[in-house]
Amino acid sequence: MRYRELIVVTADFHMPRAMLELNAVFHGSGVRLQTYAVPTASLKSKRWWRSPGAARLMVVEYCKYLAILGREAVLGLGPREAPAAQQKAPQVTRHP
């Protein structure tokens, strides 16, 4: 069974990181990702940063987001595929 579309349901504050992760996994697969972000009650206030719990939640999530961005940047520096020389089996020459 092959999926063509996935619906991603997660908390609104977590959606950016979730999409980074999923886009990395499904890159080039043809799978379409559709999002449904569930509102977080503690973050709906206009002054959510004044709540220690809400502020901590956002700071921790942002740190995780930056870690994923860093990981993807580092992985993007390496080769996407093995070089052609590594893909072919070495030929052994036998002398009579």
Side-chain angles (χ1 to χ4, degrees), residues 37-71:
V38 179
T40 304
S42 63
L43 299 177
K44 290 190 74 86
S45 168
K46 290 182 181 180
R47 294 194 169 111
W48 59 265
W49 64 89
R50 291 187 179 189
S51 163
R56 181 184 182 285
L57 180 69
M58 290 303 292
V59 168
V60 169
E61 187 63 25
Y62 186 65
C63 289
K64 292 177 184 179
Y65 180 80
L66 291 177
I68 300 307
L69 278 179
R71 182 193 70 200

Side-chain angles (χ1 to χ4, degrees), residues 2 4 13 22 32 36 42-43 49 53 57 61 71 79-80 83-84 86 88 90-91:
R2 179 143 172 93
R4 289 176 283 161
F13 69 90
L22 292 171
R32 183 172 170 254
Y36 180 79
S42 63
L43 299 177
W49 64 89
L57 180 69
E61 187 63 25
R71 182 193 70 200
R80 292 285 181 201
Q86 292 178 356
K88 294 180 182 178
Q91 294 182 352

